[in-house]
Amino acid sequence: MEKRESLLEAYLKRGFSRRSFLKGCVTLTSLMGLSTDMLSKVVEAAESKPLPVVIWIHGHECTGCDESFIRSASPLASDLVLNNIALEYDHLLSAACGAPFEAHLEETINKYNGSYILCVEGAVATKDSGVHCMSGGHTFLHTLQKAAKGAAAIIAYGSCAAYGGIQAAAPNPTGSTGIGQFVGGKPVVNVPGCPPIPEVMTGVVMHVALFGTLPPLDGDGRPKQFYGNRIHDTCYRRPFFDAGMFAETYDDAGSKAGWCLYKLGCRGPETYNSCGNLRWWQGMSYPIQSGAACIGCSNRNFWDEAPFSNRLPQYGKLGDADKIGVGLGVMTAAGVAAHAVASIIQRNSRDNLLEEEDK
Ligand code: FSX
Ligand code: SF4
Ligand code: F3S
């Protein structure tokens, strides 16, 4: 096998200085959720490890995951794809197509057998032997199984690849499901979200590439550093939740004033993701910041089990809010009592404010 260049060599070859390389390593260290103590280890690995060969395949999806990915700002998606990894095959980002492109996939699988990272977007359509999702003359099911066999690690990018997502929503006419059971027992890192945050994917890819291990995962195969908190825990509207100040419709005064979206169906209290911390477009915004309730898009079966479009949480009484908090283990009994009193006071002021607005 030919010698492949390291990240440092790739930087130098493209005319960047060692200083830029070190800056890149600092960014990668923070992206991987590692403390600065690990910087020297990251630099060491980036100097010596060959760039990881990546095969990136797409199944049953809307392509929103890639739309999100190509907007990665730090590092730029173009930097990741062109400088940080050796992306050999990607259904969407490659300029090549047709028979030679498919032959290149075959060649890459054979040449780098056992050492490449397989990134997968989209669910697997299983009904009727998988014919509902075809690419390059094969079912996606076939391509996935084949590519998974020689992969060192597999990353399921997006809720569809991880859990089936929207493609698996009832009545699921294509028999779509997540990729986990079709990869021959290989370890899978789940990076759910519909779409996921691009920088999370970059962090996971680079962790596998530089350390040759998977990042620490939770019980659902998700990287802990990115899925350890609920949206609710980092939400800038949280003080309004705690104060019992809720928007009732998307155009009332509370909504305009940035109050909590819980009564509009926000799934932030039950959804684990980093949207509130990382956001999109260089930290510019995320659904809640743009005025939309979180629909829990990174949760398993979010479409069927939490249909945001037709089942808003019952929030008629103040007690319900507290029950939710208790159920999620975020409030102590004393806290609930204090919260209830504070909420009633705040709620009255909110109602007064809304009345004022309506006059
Ligand atoms: Fe699914 Fe992704 Fe949602 Fe779309 O690849 S997670 S439908 S944003 O495109 O798969
Ligand atoms: Fe934010 Fe939603 Fe929690 Fe309200 S319920 S604080 S909008 S995450
Ligand atoms: Fe999805 Fe909720 Fe984040 S809808 S993008 S998990 S804020």
Side-chain angles (χ1 to χ4, degrees):
M1 199 179 287
E2 92 280 24
K3 180 180 177 321
R4 286 183 290 119
E5 61 188 9
S6 67
L7 188 58
L8 172 62
E9 286 161 345
Y11 263 71
L12 298 178
K13 193 167 132 191
R14 286 162 182 77
F16 294 113
S17 62
R18 184 172 167 83
R19 190 179 169 78
S20 305
F21 163 75
L22 291 175
K23 275 189 188 166
C25 288
V26 171
T27 307
L28 284 177
T29 306
S30 92
L31 259 188
M32 290 186 281
L34 301 173
S35 77
T36 43
D37 298 351
M38 292 293 289
L39 179 59
S40 57
K41 292 252 177 298
V42 172
V43 173
E44 201 183 305
E47 282 173 340
S48 56
K49 290 261 169 92
L51 294 184
V53 170
V54 175
I55 294 175
W56 199 307
I57 57 176
H58 294 243
H60 207 188
E61 50 150 356
C62 79
T63 319
C65 297
D66 254 353
E67 287 293 335
S68 173
F69 182 72
I70 59 177
R71 284 161 182 81
S72 172
S74 180
L76 287 168
S78 54
D79 281 343
L80 178 73
V81 168
L82 300 175
N83 299 332
N84 292 10
I85 61 175
L87 183 61
E88 290 288 337
Y89 180 92
D90 187 321
H91 279 147
L92 194 86
L93 299 179
S94 301
C97 63
F101 186 48
E102 295 310 315
H104 185 65
L105 173 62
E106 190 85 27
E107 197 183 301
T108 307
I109 288 175
N110 293 332
K111 189 168 170 189
Y112 300 105
N113 186 24
S115 65
Y116 57 83
I117 298 174
L118 177 66
C119 300
V120 185
E121 284 183 41
V124 195
T126 61
K127 206 165 170 195
D128 304 321
S129 310
V131 296
H132 300 290
C133 186
M134 303 280 297
S135 168
H138 298 291
T139 64
F140 177 63
L141 176 61
H142 168 88
T143 306
L144 171 67
Q145 286 176 319
K146 189 169 181 178
K149 215 169 173 187
I154 300 171
I155 304 173
Y157 182 52
S159 294
C160 296
Y163 310 132
I166 290 178
Q167 328 302 335
N172 193 0
T174 58
S176 285
T177 181
I179 66 167
Q181 53 185 300
F182 303 102
V183 297
K186 287 273 165 75
V188 175
V189 182
N190 285 331
V191 182
C194 185
I197 301 167
E199 284 81 2
V200 172
M201 185 61 170
T202 309
V204 174
V205 171
M206 291 315 293
H207 187 108
V208 176
L210 293 177
F211 296 112
T213 58
L214 302 184
L217 304 178
D218 66 13
D220 210 10
R222 301 173 296 190
K224 279 184 186 167
Q225 71 262 39
F226 299 114
Y227 293 89
N229 288 315
R230 297 171 309 158
I231 298 297
H232 194 56
D233 297 327
T234 55
C235 183
Y236 72 103
R237 296 187 191 229
R238 179 64 183 270
F240 293 109
F241 176 92
D242 292 338
M245 297 166 81
F246 302 100
E248 307 269 344
T249 67
Y250 276 110
D251 60 355
D252 69 8
S255 195
K256 287 173 193 157
W259 291 0
C260 173
L261 301 169
Y262 186 78
K263 288 178 87 171
L264 292 168
C266 185
R267 307 281 182 230
E270 62 195 29
T271 304
Y272 288 81
N273 206 338
S274 297
C275 310
N277 295 336
L278 293 176
R279 309 185 190 192
W280 274 259
W281 293 100
Q282 268 182 312
M284 187 194 288
S285 191
Y286 71 116
I288 290 174
Q289 194 174 343
S290 65
C294 168
I295 61 173
C297 75
S298 48
N299 291 337
R300 193 179 281 276
N301 298 331
F302 79 97
W303 198 266
D304 288 336
E305 285 182 5
F308 57 91
S309 54
N310 63 8
R311 186 183 68 80
L312 296 182
Q314 295 307 304
Y315 204 109
K317 302 186 293 285
L318 176 66
D320 291 336
D322 294 327
K323 260 193 247 156
I324 286 157
V326 172
L328 292 166
V330 292
M331 294 177 192
T332 61
V336 171
H339 174 80
V341 173
S343 294
I344 290 166
I345 297 168
Q346 294 288 349
R347 201 170 183 198
N348 286 343
S349 10
R350 179 206 67 195
D351 290 345
N352 291 342
L353 214 166
L354 288 175
E355 273 169 26
E356 288 286 306
E357 274 289 324
D358 290 342
K359 275 179 196 167

